[in-house]
Amino acid sequence: MSSLRSTGEKRIGTATGPMSVLARVRSRPPGTYRGHMAKPRLFAYAFALLVVAFAVAGGILASEVPDMAGFFAAAVLLGLCSVALGLLVAYRRPHNVVGPLLVVVGGSPIWTAFNDTYVAVVEARPGLLPVWDWYVGISPGTWMLLYIPAALLMLYFPDGRLPGPRWRWVVYGFVAVPVLFAFAASADPEPFPPPFQDVPHLVTLRGPALTVVGVVGVALLPVFLGLLIASVAAMVVRYRRATDDVRRAQVKWFNRLRGFGFLT
């Protein structure tokens, strides 16, 4: 029995060296199991389902106003191209945030077309759809959200990381500025455009408070423009820092596609 035990110990020692079997098991890096899904990939799939839901719902609404059908179909076609590309990136690079950002970029035109189609249906078929006061109330300041996905994509492309630690302040700005601007825009006492002219405002301010909030809202516009310029500058920084031809080519082609996206 002792000879068998010594023989087994020698075999284990030969196979593992000075490292024990338990140490070898614990040395496995976290997140390598097949059952564990990376968060960026999970967000990409969730955003894609949400975009598809908006596309289907918008298609149903567009059937009520045939004049909007062509516009909505073009927006869906344009958006789904970016969504499909984002899903491909999420599948091939599950830990890269570029995948979900591409999905959200594709959702922007679909969301815009859905909103316009919803307004057209409410105007053409009164009473067919519910009118949510909160949705109408925040709508004047939500246009900034259309630019944020593309701006964040420019900040994180192509490796899913910011160009440097200081660029985090640009990301923080893209979170804070739209929220503050949405509040300022919702405090505007002017009636909403038809067919929502009778909808009450969510925020009601008077006197000096209204003046201060209005000044802050106007002051946020150049700040937001500066954030957009900073996101473009991030691509310039990446191009100049690139040490290989592949990275330079990625940034160059992305800049060309970005210009096409802004035109569309």
Side-chain angles (χ1 to χ4, degrees):
M1 180 67 69
S2 60
S3 61
L4 291 175
R5 182 181 300 174
S6 60
T7 303
E9 291 176 351
K10 291 180 180 179
R11 289 179 179 178
I12 294 176
T14 302
T16 63
M19 185 180 295
S20 65
V21 176
L22 183 60
R24 288 173 63 86
V25 172
R26 288 180 177 176
S27 63
R28 180 190 294 270
T32 57
Y33 297 98
R34 291 183 179 271
H36 177 76
M37 180 177 293
K39 289 183 179 180
R41 176 188 285 179
L42 181 62
F43 284 137
Y45 292 166
F47 291 152
L49 290 176
L50 184 61
V51 170
V52 171
F54 268 101
V56 173
I60 296 175
L61 293 181
S63 64
E64 299 292 337
V65 279
D67 294 341
M68 299 292 295
F71 167 72
F72 188 81
V76 170
L77 181 62
L78 178 65
L80 290 183
C81 292
S82 181
V83 171
L85 181 60
L87 291 176
L88 177 62
V89 173
Y91 177 77
R92 299 293 299 271
R93 297 290 185 269
H95 295 279
N96 196 325
V97 297
V98 170
L101 285 176
L102 282 170
V103 175
V104 178
V105 168
S108 296
I110 296 177
W111 175 55
T112 302
F114 175 87
N115 182 71
D116 293 345
T117 305
Y118 168 78
V119 174
V121 172
V122 171
E123 188 173 12
R125 303 284 300 276
L128 180 63
L129 296 177
V131 176
W132 298 289
D133 294 350
W134 64 269
Y135 182 78
V136 178
I138 65 174
S139 60
T142 55
W143 60 266
M144 284 188 175
L145 300 178
L146 299 175
Y147 295 89
I148 293 178
L152 292 178
L153 185 60
M154 288 187 285
L155 286 170
Y156 284 97
F157 184 87
D159 56 3
R161 299 182 180 89
L162 293 172
R166 296 181 179 180
W167 292 88
R168 289 179 297 181
W169 292 103
V170 180
V171 179
Y172 298 156
F174 278 126
V175 175
V177 171
V179 173
L180 295 175
F181 182 79
F183 175 80
S186 62
D188 186 0
E190 293 294 327
F192 296 110
F196 307 114
Q197 63 273 10
D198 297 328
V199 175
H201 290 268
L202 293 178
V203 180
T204 303
L205 300 176
R206 293 181 178 86
L210 179 60
T211 303
V212 172
V213 171
V215 171
V216 172
V218 174
L220 289 173
L221 294 176
V223 176
F224 187 71
L225 179 60
L227 294 173
L228 295 177
I229 294 175
S231 63
V232 175
M235 299 303 300
V236 178
V237 172
R238 286 189 184 276
Y239 184 81
R240 292 181 176 179
R241 290 180 181 178
T243 57
D244 58 282
D245 295 336
V246 175
R247 182 59 56 86
R248 284 179 174 269
Q250 288 176 334
V251 176
K252 183 184 298 184
W253 279 103
F254 179 80
N255 285 332
R256 293 176 179 177
L257 293 175
R258 180 196 64 193
F260 174 76
F262 281 141
L263 289 176
T264 55

Tab-separated table of all heavy atoms in Angstrom, residues 180-236:
chain	number	residue	atom	x	y	z
A	180	LEU	N	-29.736	67.860	-17.809
A	180	LEU	CA	-29.987	69.245	-17.420
A	180	LEU	C	-30.745	70.006	-18.512
A	180	LEU	O	-31.654	70.796	-18.224
A	180	LEU	CB	-28.663	69.949	-17.107
A	180	LEU	CG	-27.886	69.410	-15.903
A	180	LEU	CD1	-26.539	70.119	-15.791
A	180	LEU	CD2	-28.688	69.570	-14.624
A	181	PHE	N	-30.381	69.748	-19.767
A	181	PHE	CA	-31.055	70.444	-20.861
A	181	PHE	C	-32.510	69.986	-20.986
A	181	PHE	O	-33.394	70.801	-21.282
A	181	PHE	CB	-30.312	70.201	-22.166
A	181	PHE	CG	-30.922	70.927	-23.334
A	181	PHE	CD1	-30.689	72.279	-23.538
A	181	PHE	CD2	-31.739	70.262	-24.240
A	181	PHE	CE1	-31.259	72.959	-24.600
A	181	PHE	CE2	-32.317	70.928	-25.312
A	181	PHE	CZ	-32.067	72.277	-25.488
A	182	ALA	N	-32.767	68.697	-20.766
A	182	ALA	CA	-34.147	68.205	-20.832
A	182	ALA	C	-35.006	68.873	-19.761
A	182	ALA	O	-36.173	69.217	-20.002
A	182	ALA	CB	-34.167	66.695	-20.671
A	183	PHE	N	-34.436	69.080	-18.577
A	183	PHE	CA	-35.189	69.772	-17.524
A	183	PHE	C	-35.463	71.213	-17.920
A	183	PHE	O	-36.577	71.724	-17.740
A	183	PHE	CB	-34.395	69.724	-16.212
A	183	PHE	CG	-35.032	70.503	-15.099
A	183	PHE	CD1	-36.086	69.968	-14.383
A	183	PHE	CD2	-34.574	71.775	-14.777
A	183	PHE	CE1	-36.688	70.698	-13.353
A	183	PHE	CE2	-35.158	72.502	-13.757
A	183	PHE	CZ	-36.222	71.963	-13.041
A	184	ALA	N	-34.437	71.894	-18.443
A	184	ALA	CA	-34.621	73.288	-18.850
A	184	ALA	C	-35.633	73.408	-19.979
A	184	ALA	O	-36.469	74.322	-19.990
A	184	ALA	CB	-33.281	73.884	-19.271
A	185	ALA	N	-35.580	72.490	-20.946
A	185	ALA	CA	-36.516	72.548	-22.067
A	185	ALA	C	-37.948	72.249	-21.623
A	185	ALA	O	-38.906	72.820	-22.156
A	185	ALA	CB	-36.092	71.569	-23.153
A	186	SER	N	-38.102	71.358	-20.652
A	186	SER	CA	-39.450	71.033	-20.183
A	186	SER	C	-40.075	72.178	-19.397
A	186	SER	O	-41.299	72.204	-19.203
A	186	SER	CB	-39.406	69.782	-19.300
A	186	SER	OG	-38.608	70.002	-18.146
A	187	ALA	N	-39.234	73.124	-18.934
A	187	ALA	CA	-39.759	74.283	-18.200
A	187	ALA	C	-40.199	75.414	-19.118
A	187	ALA	O	-40.709	76.432	-18.633
A	187	ALA	CB	-38.698	74.799	-17.220
A	188	ASP	N	-40.009	75.267	-20.405
A	188	ASP	CA	-40.427	76.309	-21.347
A	188	ASP	C	-41.952	76.449	-21.305
A	188	ASP	O	-42.670	75.477	-21.564
A	188	ASP	CB	-39.959	75.937	-22.754
A	188	ASP	CG	-40.228	77.046	-23.763
A	188	ASP	OD1	-40.774	78.100	-23.372
A	188	ASP	OD2	-39.888	76.858	-24.952
A	189	PRO	N	-42.452	77.642	-21.000
A	189	PRO	CA	-43.915	77.788	-20.856
A	189	PRO	C	-44.675	77.826	-22.172
A	189	PRO	O	-45.917	77.820	-22.171
A	189	PRO	CB	-44.058	79.120	-20.113
A	189	PRO	CG	-42.850	79.907	-20.515
A	189	PRO	CD	-41.743	78.891	-20.685
A	190	GLU	N	-43.983	77.875	-23.303
A	190	GLU	CA	-44.685	77.932	-24.585
A	190	GLU	C	-45.494	76.658	-24.819
A	190	GLU	O	-45.049	75.558	-24.467
A	190	GLU	CB	-43.681	78.119	-25.721
A	190	GLU	CG	-42.988	79.461	-25.709
A	190	GLU	CD	-43.958	80.609	-25.976
A	190	GLU	OE1	-44.927	80.392	-26.744
A	190	GLU	OE2	-43.771	81.693	-25.405
A	191	PRO	N	-46.681	76.765	-25.420
A	191	PRO	CA	-47.489	75.563	-25.681
A	191	PRO	C	-46.755	74.603	-26.628
A	191	PRO	O	-45.960	75.014	-27.477
A	191	PRO	CB	-48.760	76.120	-26.334
A	191	PRO	CG	-48.803	77.556	-25.932
A	191	PRO	CD	-47.381	77.999	-25.830
A	192	PHE	N	-47.038	73.324	-26.464
A	192	PHE	CA	-46.459	72.325	-27.353
A	192	PHE	C	-47.075	72.454	-28.748
A	192	PHE	O	-48.215	72.906	-28.895
A	192	PHE	CB	-46.707	70.917	-26.805
A	192	PHE	CG	-46.031	70.650	-25.497
A	192	PHE	CD1	-46.776	70.518	-24.333
A	192	PHE	CD2	-44.661	70.551	-25.412
A	192	PHE	CE1	-46.173	70.272	-23.125
A	192	PHE	CE2	-44.031	70.309	-24.201
A	192	PHE	CZ	-44.789	70.168	-23.049
A	193	PRO	N	-46.341	72.057	-29.772
A	193	PRO	CA	-46.901	72.130	-31.132
A	193	PRO	C	-48.056	71.153	-31.295
A	193	PRO	O	-48.150	70.154	-30.576
A	193	PRO	CB	-45.704	71.759	-32.021
A	193	PRO	CG	-44.789	70.983	-31.131
A	193	PRO	CD	-44.951	71.556	-29.764
A	194	PRO	N	-48.964	71.429	-32.237
A	194	PRO	CA	-50.093	70.528	-32.475
A	194	PRO	C	-49.581	69.132	-32.843
A	194	PRO	O	-48.527	68.998	-33.466
A	194	PRO	CB	-50.832	71.181	-33.650
A	194	PRO	CG	-50.405	72.622	-33.605
A	194	PRO	CD	-48.999	72.603	-33.105
A	195	PRO	N	-50.293	68.099	-32.433
A	195	PRO	CA	-51.615	68.106	-31.793
A	195	PRO	C	-51.560	68.060	-30.264
A	195	PRO	O	-52.517	67.601	-29.631
A	195	PRO	CB	-52.226	66.822	-32.339
A	195	PRO	CG	-51.045	65.896	-32.469
A	195	PRO	CD	-49.877	66.757	-32.840
A	196	PHE	N	-50.470	68.496	-29.658
A	196	PHE	CA	-50.302	68.407	-28.210
A	196	PHE	C	-50.382	69.777	-27.535
A	196	PHE	O	-49.844	69.980	-26.460
A	196	PHE	CB	-48.955	67.764	-27.880
A	196	PHE	CG	-48.722	66.455	-28.555
A	196	PHE	CD1	-47.723	66.303	-29.514
A	196	PHE	CD2	-49.507	65.357	-28.254
A	196	PHE	CE1	-47.508	65.097	-30.134
A	196	PHE	CE2	-49.304	64.135	-28.874
A	196	PHE	CZ	-48.300	63.995	-29.825
A	197	GLN	N	-51.047	70.720	-28.160
A	197	GLN	CA	-51.080	72.081	-27.623
A	197	GLN	C	-51.825	72.178	-26.293
A	197	GLN	O	-51.625	73.132	-25.534
A	197	GLN	CB	-51.715	73.034	-28.643
A	197	GLN	CG	-53.161	72.736	-28.967
A	197	GLN	CD	-53.320	71.726	-30.090
A	197	GLN	OE1	-52.341	71.103	-30.511
A	197	GLN	NE2	-54.547	71.578	-30.591
A	198	ASP	N	-52.674	71.211	-25.975
A	198	ASP	CA	-53.433	71.239	-24.723
A	198	ASP	C	-52.799	70.409	-23.610
A	198	ASP	O	-53.351	70.329	-22.505
A	198	ASP	CB	-54.864	70.739	-24.955
A	198	ASP	CG	-55.632	71.633	-25.913
A	198	ASP	OD1	-55.371	72.853	-25.919
A	198	ASP	OD2	-56.470	71.109	-26.678
A	199	VAL	N	-51.660	69.781	-23.888
A	199	VAL	CA	-50.997	68.952	-22.877
A	199	VAL	C	-50.295	69.865	-21.867
A	199	VAL	O	-49.565	70.777	-22.254
A	199	VAL	CB	-49.975	68.003	-23.535
A	199	VAL	CG1	-49.196	67.228	-22.472
A	199	VAL	CG2	-50.694	67.049	-24.482
A	200	PRO	N	-50.483	69.647	-20.559
A	200	PRO	CA	-49.835	70.502	-19.562
A	200	PRO	C	-48.332	70.208	-19.471
A	200	PRO	O	-47.874	69.110	-19.774
A	200	PRO	CB	-50.551	70.140	-18.255
A	200	PRO	CG	-51.034	68.743	-18.471
A	200	PRO	CD	-51.382	68.646	-19.930
A	201	HIS	N	-47.577	71.194	-19.031
A	201	HIS	CA	-46.139	71.046	-18.877
A	201	HIS	C	-45.816	70.304	-17.582
A	201	HIS	O	-46.505	70.447	-16.567
A	201	HIS	CB	-45.456	72.418	-18.874
A	201	HIS	CG	-45.476	73.084	-20.212
A	201	HIS	ND1	-44.460	72.946	-21.130
A	201	HIS	CD2	-46.395	73.890	-20.796
A	201	HIS	CE1	-44.744	73.647	-22.223
A	201	HIS	NE2	-45.921	74.230	-22.041
A	202	LEU	N	-44.747	69.529	-17.639
A	202	LEU	CA	-44.322	68.805	-16.446
A	202	LEU	C	-43.712	69.734	-15.409
A	202	LEU	O	-43.872	69.527	-14.206
A	202	LEU	CB	-43.293	67.726	-16.830
A	202	LEU	CG	-43.797	66.563	-17.671
A	202	LEU	CD1	-42.640	65.621	-17.989
A	202	LEU	CD2	-44.902	65.811	-16.950
A	203	VAL	N	-42.977	70.734	-15.862
A	203	VAL	CA	-42.299	71.674	-14.969
A	203	VAL	C	-42.909	73.059	-15.188
A	203	VAL	O	-42.963	73.544	-16.320
A	203	VAL	CB	-40.784	71.713	-15.234
A	203	VAL	CG1	-40.097	72.699	-14.283
A	203	VAL	CG2	-40.181	70.318	-15.082
A	204	THR	N	-43.363	73.657	-14.105
A	204	THR	CA	-43.962	74.989	-14.181
A	204	THR	C	-43.169	75.939	-13.287
A	204	THR	O	-43.182	75.801	-12.057
A	204	THR	CB	-45.432	74.960	-13.739
A	204	THR	OG1	-46.153	74.014	-14.551
A	204	THR	CG2	-46.069	76.330	-13.902
A	205	LEU	N	-42.478	76.874	-13.898
A	205	LEU	CA	-41.681	77.852	-13.165
A	205	LEU	C	-42.118	79.260	-13.566
A	205	LEU	O	-42.582	79.474	-14.693
A	205	LEU	CB	-40.194	77.671	-13.458
A	205	LEU	CG	-39.577	76.312	-13.093
A	205	LEU	CD1	-38.128	76.261	-13.542
A	205	LEU	CD2	-39.688	76.060	-11.595
A	206	ARG	N	-41.927	80.186	-12.652
A	206	ARG	CA	-42.291	81.577	-12.922
A	206	ARG	C	-41.243	82.507	-12.335
A	206	ARG	O	-40.500	82.134	-11.423
A	206	ARG	CB	-43.667	81.906	-12.324
A	206	ARG	CG	-44.833	81.172	-12.978
A	206	ARG	CD	-46.152	81.574	-12.344
A	206	ARG	NE	-47.294	80.921	-12.994
A	206	ARG	CZ	-47.736	79.720	-12.676
A	206	ARG	NH1	-47.140	79.031	-11.708
A	206	ARG	NH2	-48.768	79.188	-13.304
A	207	GLY	N	-41.215	83.700	-12.884
A	207	GLY	CA	-40.353	84.731	-12.330
A	207	GLY	C	-38.872	84.455	-12.537
A	207	GLY	O	-38.456	83.902	-13.568
A	208	PRO	N	-38.046	84.795	-11.546
A	208	PRO	CA	-36.590	84.630	-11.683
A	208	PRO	C	-36.158	83.189	-11.909
A	208	PRO	O	-35.177	82.937	-12.609
A	208	PRO	CB	-36.059	85.169	-10.347
A	208	PRO	CG	-37.135	86.061	-9.829
A	208	PRO	CD	-38.426	85.464	-10.298
A	209	ALA	N	-36.870	82.238	-11.318
A	209	ALA	CA	-36.489	80.830	-11.496
A	209	ALA	C	-36.581	80.415	-12.964
A	209	ALA	O	-35.699	79.721	-13.492
A	209	ALA	CB	-37.383	79.938	-10.640
A	210	LEU	N	-37.630	80.849	-13.639
A	210	LEU	CA	-37.780	80.534	-15.063
A	210	LEU	C	-36.671	81.182	-15.882
A	210	LEU	O	-36.138	80.559	-16.816
A	210	LEU	CB	-39.143	81.001	-15.555
A	210	LEU	CG	-39.448	80.771	-17.038
A	210	LEU	CD1	-39.392	79.296	-17.377
A	210	LEU	CD2	-40.811	81.357	-17.389
A	211	THR	N	-36.303	82.401	-15.524
A	211	THR	CA	-35.233	83.091	-16.246
A	211	THR	C	-33.904	82.376	-16.077
A	211	THR	O	-33.160	82.178	-17.043
A	211	THR	CB	-35.116	84.539	-15.762
A	211	THR	OG1	-36.380	85.197	-15.931
A	211	THR	CG2	-34.049	85.286	-16.539
A	212	VAL	N	-33.604	81.976	-14.847
A	212	VAL	CA	-32.338	81.285	-14.578
A	212	VAL	C	-32.280	79.955	-15.327
A	212	VAL	O	-31.261	79.618	-15.954
A	212	VAL	CB	-32.164	81.074	-13.060
A	212	VAL	CG1	-30.957	80.178	-12.787
A	212	VAL	CG2	-31.999	82.405	-12.353
A	213	VAL	N	-33.360	79.203	-15.274
A	213	VAL	CA	-33.381	77.911	-15.956
A	213	VAL	C	-33.250	78.100	-17.461
A	213	VAL	O	-32.557	77.326	-18.143
A	213	VAL	CB	-34.666	77.138	-15.596
A	213	VAL	CG1	-34.808	75.892	-16.470
A	213	VAL	CG2	-34.654	76.740	-14.132
A	214	GLY	N	-33.885	79.127	-18.001
A	214	GLY	CA	-33.764	79.392	-19.432
A	214	GLY	C	-32.346	79.754	-19.833
A	214	GLY	O	-31.847	79.292	-20.869
A	215	VAL	N	-31.679	80.566	-19.009
A	215	VAL	CA	-30.289	80.927	-19.302
A	215	VAL	C	-29.391	79.698	-19.238
A	215	VAL	O	-28.494	79.505	-20.084
A	215	VAL	CB	-29.809	82.016	-18.323
A	215	VAL	CG1	-28.309	82.248	-18.466
A	215	VAL	CG2	-30.571	83.311	-18.562
A	216	VAL	N	-29.624	78.846	-18.250
A	216	VAL	CA	-28.822	77.623	-18.134
A	216	VAL	C	-29.034	76.725	-19.357
A	216	VAL	O	-28.080	76.149	-19.900
A	216	VAL	CB	-29.188	76.869	-16.842
A	216	VAL	CG1	-28.516	75.492	-16.810
A	216	VAL	CG2	-28.752	77.675	-15.623
A	217	GLY	N	-30.272	76.608	-19.801
A	217	GLY	CA	-30.544	75.775	-20.973
A	217	GLY	C	-29.838	76.277	-22.213
A	217	GLY	O	-29.266	75.484	-22.980
A	218	VAL	N	-29.838	77.582	-22.422
A	218	VAL	CA	-29.135	78.146	-23.577
A	218	VAL	C	-27.634	77.969	-23.434
A	218	VAL	O	-26.923	77.670	-24.408
A	218	VAL	CB	-29.502	79.635	-23.737
A	218	VAL	CG1	-28.669	80.272	-24.844
A	218	VAL	CG2	-30.987	79.786	-24.045
A	219	ALA	N	-27.103	78.118	-22.212
A	219	ALA	CA	-25.664	77.974	-21.991
A	219	ALA	C	-25.197	76.539	-22.212
A	219	ALA	O	-24.016	76.311	-22.520
A	219	ALA	CB	-25.312	78.419	-20.573
A	220	LEU	N	-26.099	75.574	-22.056
A	220	LEU	CA	-25.712	74.177	-22.255
A	220	LEU	C	-25.507	73.832	-23.725
A	220	LEU	O	-24.842	72.838	-24.039
A	220	LEU	CB	-26.773	73.259	-21.657
A	220	LEU	CG	-26.843	73.216	-20.126
A	220	LEU	CD1	-28.040	72.392	-19.680
A	220	LEU	CD2	-25.558	72.639	-19.542
A	221	LEU	N	-26.057	74.629	-24.632
A	221	LEU	CA	-25.918	74.328	-26.060
A	221	LEU	C	-24.464	74.380	-26.522
A	221	LEU	O	-23.992	73.423	-27.159
A	221	LEU	CB	-26.794	75.286	-26.878
A	221	LEU	CG	-28.301	75.132	-26.670
A	221	LEU	CD1	-29.055	76.204	-27.449
A	221	LEU	CD2	-28.763	73.749	-27.087
A	222	PRO	N	-23.691	75.445	-26.248
A	222	PRO	CA	-22.278	75.414	-26.645
A	222	PRO	C	-21.472	74.364	-25.894
A	222	PRO	O	-20.485	73.845	-26.420
A	222	PRO	CB	-21.784	76.834	-26.332
A	222	PRO	CG	-22.746	77.382	-25.352
A	222	PRO	CD	-24.069	76.760	-25.678
A	223	VAL	N	-21.888	74.038	-24.667
A	223	VAL	CA	-21.197	72.972	-23.934
A	223	VAL	C	-21.380	71.644	-24.653
A	223	VAL	O	-20.428	70.864	-24.823
A	223	VAL	CB	-21.714	72.887	-22.488
A	223	VAL	CG1	-21.075	71.715	-21.749
A	223	VAL	CG2	-21.428	74.185	-21.741
A	224	PHE	N	-22.602	71.387	-25.091
A	224	PHE	CA	-22.859	70.140	-25.813
A	224	PHE	C	-22.106	70.109	-27.136
A	224	PHE	O	-21.574	69.059	-27.533
A	224	PHE	CB	-24.366	69.997	-26.054
A	224	PHE	CG	-24.770	68.681	-26.639
A	224	PHE	CD1	-24.716	67.523	-25.884
A	224	PHE	CD2	-25.201	68.589	-27.955
A	224	PHE	CE1	-25.082	66.301	-26.424
A	224	PHE	CE2	-25.574	67.382	-28.499
A	224	PHE	CZ	-25.516	66.228	-27.729
A	225	LEU	N	-22.046	71.246	-27.810
A	225	LEU	CA	-21.274	71.319	-29.047
A	225	LEU	C	-19.797	71.029	-28.775
A	225	LEU	O	-19.140	70.332	-29.556
A	225	LEU	CB	-21.445	72.691	-29.687
A	225	LEU	CG	-20.667	72.941	-30.981
A	225	LEU	CD1	-21.086	71.951	-32.064
A	225	LEU	CD2	-20.867	74.380	-31.454
A	226	GLY	N	-19.278	71.540	-27.665
A	226	GLY	CA	-17.900	71.254	-27.312
A	226	GLY	C	-17.659	69.778	-27.049
A	226	GLY	O	-16.600	69.237	-27.410
A	227	LEU	N	-18.627	69.113	-26.450
A	227	LEU	CA	-18.499	67.676	-26.226
A	227	LEU	C	-18.467	66.917	-27.546
A	227	LEU	O	-17.699	65.944	-27.706
A	227	LEU	CB	-19.654	67.180	-25.361
A	227	LEU	CG	-19.694	67.694	-23.916
A	227	LEU	CD1	-20.988	67.246	-23.236
A	227	LEU	CD2	-18.487	67.205	-23.129
A	228	LEU	N	-19.290	67.328	-28.504
A	228	LEU	CA	-19.276	66.682	-29.810
A	228	LEU	C	-17.932	66.886	-30.514
A	228	LEU	O	-17.393	65.963	-31.135
A	228	LEU	CB	-20.415	67.223	-30.673
A	228	LEU	CG	-21.838	66.923	-30.207
A	228	LEU	CD1	-22.852	67.591	-31.124
A	228	LEU	CD2	-22.081	65.424	-30.153
A	229	ILE	N	-17.387	68.098	-30.400
A	229	ILE	CA	-16.083	68.369	-31.002
A	229	ILE	C	-15.007	67.525	-30.322
A	229	ILE	O	-14.087	67.015	-30.980
A	229	ILE	CB	-15.757	69.872	-30.899
A	229	ILE	CG1	-16.746	70.674	-31.755
A	229	ILE	CG2	-14.330	70.154	-31.346
A	229	ILE	CD1	-16.585	72.176	-31.620
A	230	ALA	N	-15.122	67.345	-29.007
A	230	ALA	CA	-14.154	66.521	-28.290
A	230	ALA	C	-14.210	65.064	-28.753
A	230	ALA	O	-13.173	64.397	-28.865
A	230	ALA	CB	-14.415	66.606	-26.788
A	231	SER	N	-15.405	64.564	-29.049
A	231	SER	CA	-15.517	63.184	-29.533
A	231	SER	C	-14.873	63.026	-30.904
A	231	SER	O	-14.269	61.987	-31.200
A	231	SER	CB	-16.986	62.766	-29.579
A	231	SER	OG	-17.714	63.562	-30.501
A	232	VAL	N	-14.985	64.058	-31.740
A	232	VAL	CA	-14.302	64.022	-33.035
A	232	VAL	C	-12.791	64.097	-32.834
A	232	VAL	O	-12.015	63.395	-33.512
A	232	VAL	CB	-14.789	65.175	-33.926
A	232	VAL	CG1	-14.008	65.216	-35.229
A	232	VAL	CG2	-16.276	65.032	-34.215
A	233	ALA	N	-12.358	64.921	-31.889
A	233	ALA	CA	-10.924	65.036	-31.614
A	233	ALA	C	-10.348	63.721	-31.114
A	233	ALA	O	-9.162	63.436	-31.325
A	233	ALA	CB	-10.685	66.144	-30.588
A	234	ALA	N	-11.168	62.909	-30.456
A	234	ALA	CA	-10.684	61.614	-29.980
A	234	ALA	C	-10.233	60.729	-31.137
A	234	ALA	O	-9.237	59.997	-31.023
A	234	ALA	CB	-11.782	60.915	-29.175
A	235	MET	N	-10.945	60.806	-32.260
A	235	MET	CA	-10.533	60.010	-33.419
A	235	MET	C	-9.212	60.523	-33.989
A	235	MET	O	-8.377	59.732	-34.440
A	235	MET	CB	-11.631	60.068	-34.487
A	235	MET	CG	-12.965	59.514	-34.042
A	235	MET	SD	-12.859	57.803	-33.468
A	235	MET	CE	-12.241	56.992	-34.929
A	236	VAL	N	-9.016	61.820	-33.957
A	236	VAL	CA	-7.742	62.379	-34.435
A	236	VAL	C	-6.606	61.911	-33.545
A	236	VAL	O	-5.517	61.538	-34.025
A	236	VAL	CB	-7.821	63.914	-34.473
A	236	VAL	CG1	-6.494	64.510	-34.915
A	236	VAL	CG2	-8.948	64.366	-35.400
